[in-house]
Amino acid sequence: MHDFCFTIPYGLIVVIGGVVGYLKKGSTASFAGGVGSGLVLILAGYLSLKAFEKKKNSYFALILETVCAAALTWVMGHRYLQTSKIMPAGIVAGISALMTAFYLYKIATGGNHIPAKAE
């Protein structure tokens, strides 16, 4: 499975979470953090998709995705430990931890595997 297959939906979930946090609680920090990091993830997924279409790997996109997911894991994990609230901190921390592990796996295995050219 390619990283962009998960990154773009993951980014959309983070963006939606930031908007919902703002609408429900009026939290500008939630809005800025969710929308900002979600858009970075969507951009990284898009860059990875475009590189894949050109039959290349985008290690820049993979590293960007990894850093963003690890930061979300750290921040939301810390918030979960402070508040013990599963929603949204625990859920976002859990999903982000899984995504961080996935990105690290992709980096360790050489990124997106480009299909061989048919001759």
Side-chain angles (χ1 to χ4, degrees):
M1 191 57 78
H2 306 295
D3 63 300
F4 53 83
C5 295
F6 292 111
T7 301
I8 295 170
Y10 171 49
L12 288 171
I13 289 169
V14 173
V15 167
I16 291 167
V19 170
V20 168
Y22 177 74
L23 294 175
K24 283 186 129 185
K25 304 270 184 179
S27 171
T28 55
S30 176
F31 183 78
V35 172
S37 57
L39 289 176
V40 168
L41 285 163
I42 292 168
L43 174 65
Y46 177 78
L47 292 174
S48 180
L49 173 62
K50 289 300 168 188
F52 182 77
E53 287 174 351
K54 294 177 183 174
K55 305 220 181 297
K56 296 183 179 186
N57 263 317
S58 177
Y59 289 105
F60 172 74
L62 263 174
I63 291 169
L64 188 59
E65 293 162 351
T66 306
V67 167
C68 198
L72 281 170
T73 302
W74 176 262
V75 169
M76 296 308 274
H78 194 266
R79 180 165 297 155
Y80 172 72
L81 292 174
Q82 288 177 331
T83 64
S84 297
K85 291 185 178 179
I86 294 290
M87 192 64 182
I91 299 293
V92 174
I95 292 170
S96 297
L98 290 172
M99 292 304 294
T100 301
F102 172 70
Y103 296 138
L104 290 172
Y105 167 78
K106 293 302 287 182
I107 290 169
T109 59
N112 292 321
H113 296 285
I114 311 301
K117 292 181 182 176
E119 293 183 32

